[in-house]
């Protein structure tokens, strides 16, 4: 949320992030934060991990997709049933299209909220086209010019809010409306 991300910004002595001008009225403490650079998103995860004494970071693209697909299920949407049901597990088309407070809709079967239709999210990987080589937990190239974001924002029909939605922009980009989701990279389950 903006409230949580603002704590990080203030602790680091940085200015708080601002939503795009058109959506400034929706920059409320309880709404999903977006508009940070990749560096700020990663810094937030690592800062949170240091407070909790856990190895936290942005998820790799493979981790993000595995979680969105509830451990790899063949579904098109990261909703509670893998489909879009307007007004029940996704916003009604008549609602205003802007980010919502996290948890506004039911979680996916893995218990994760908002992986479809709130804000797209930065992931750890540098961008590279997918390759046909079979891989287990790929991490992308070691360097590059653009970082990957996954998921979908609030705008678009069913074709734009599918799990395979993937984009790439420079890590300094703040205009794309990308948010942050952190992952604990720990060999054992953590409560």
């Amino acid at each position: 949320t903006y409230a949580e991300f603002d704590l990080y910004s203030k602790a680091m002595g940085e200015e708080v992030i601002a939503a795009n001008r058109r959506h400034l009225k929706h920059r409320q403490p309880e709404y999903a934060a977006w508009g940070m650079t990749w560096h700020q998103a990663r810094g937030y995860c690592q800062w949170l991990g240091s407070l909790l004494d856990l190895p936290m970071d942005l998820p790799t693209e493979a981790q993000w997709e595995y979680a969105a697909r509830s451990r790899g299920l063949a579904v098109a949407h990261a909703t509670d049933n893998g489909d879009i049901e307007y007004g029940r597990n996704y916003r009604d088309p008549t609602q205003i299209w802007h980010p919502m407070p996290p948890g506004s809709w039911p979680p996916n079967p893995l218990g994760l909220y908002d992986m479809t239709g709130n804000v797209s999210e930065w992931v750890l990987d540098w961008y590279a086209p997918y390759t046909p080589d079979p891989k287990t937990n790929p991490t992308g190239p070691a360097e590059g010019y653009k970082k990957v974001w996954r998921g979908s924002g609030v705008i678009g029909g069913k074709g734009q809010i599918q799990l395979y939605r993937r984009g790439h922009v420079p890590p300094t980009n703040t205009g794309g409306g990308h948010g942050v989701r952190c992952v604990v990279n720990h060999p054992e389950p953590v409560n």
Side-chain angles (χ1 to χ4, degrees):
T1 64
Y2 279 114
E4 294 165 331
F5 202 86
D6 288 351
L7 285 175
Y8 160 73
S9 298
K10 290 174 185 174
M12 296 294 108
E14 298 176 1
E15 289 186 36
V16 296
I17 57 170
N20 145 332
R21 276 190 189 162
R22 206 175 48 188
H23 298 288
L24 198 53
K25 66 182 176 184
H26 302 294
R27 194 204 187 283
Q28 301 297 319
E30 71 278 9
Y31 278 64
W34 60 279
M36 72 278 298
T37 67
W38 177 89
H39 301 285
Q40 290 170 312
R42 187 172 194 204
Y44 172 78
C45 291
Q46 292 176 339
W47 172 79
L48 185 59
S50 71
L51 294 178
L52 300 172
D53 196 28
L54 291 169
M56 294 181 79
D57 209 332
L58 291 172
T60 65
E61 187 174 4
Q63 287 174 319
W64 188 96
E65 184 159 337
Y66 187 74
R69 291 183 183 276
S70 300
R71 294 188 177 99
L73 298 175
V75 294
H77 307 281
T79 60
D80 58 336
N81 62 4
D83 199 5
I84 297 292
E85 294 179 25
Y86 293 106
R88 191 192 70 75
N89 66 2
Y90 190 77
R91 72 185 73 237
D92 186 283
T94 62
Q95 289 180 298
I96 296 173
W97 294 84
H98 59 77
M100 303 281 286
S104 293
W105 308 108
N108 72 3
L110 198 55
L112 300 173
Y113 289 88
D114 304 322
M115 295 193 85
T116 292
N118 205 359
V119 297
S120 56
E121 300 167 344
W122 289 109
V123 296
L124 193 58
D125 301 23
W126 288 104
Y127 173 75
Y130 288 140
T131 64
D133 299 330
K135 295 181 180 179
T136 301
N137 198 22
T139 58
E143 56 187 30
Y145 299 100
K146 294 181 177 181
K147 287 292 188 175
V148 176
W149 57 262
R150 290 298 306 263
S152 60
V154 297
I155 297 173
K158 283 188 177 184
Q160 291 183 317
I161 54 177
Q162 293 183 332
L163 278 171
Y164 60 77
R165 186 108 160 100
R166 173 187 198 233
H168 50 90
V169 293
T172 55
N173 181 288
T174 59
H178 310 303
V180 61
R181 178 178 303 269
C182 302
V183 64
V184 175
N185 287 309
H186 201 278
E188 302 295 324
V190 177
N191 291 329

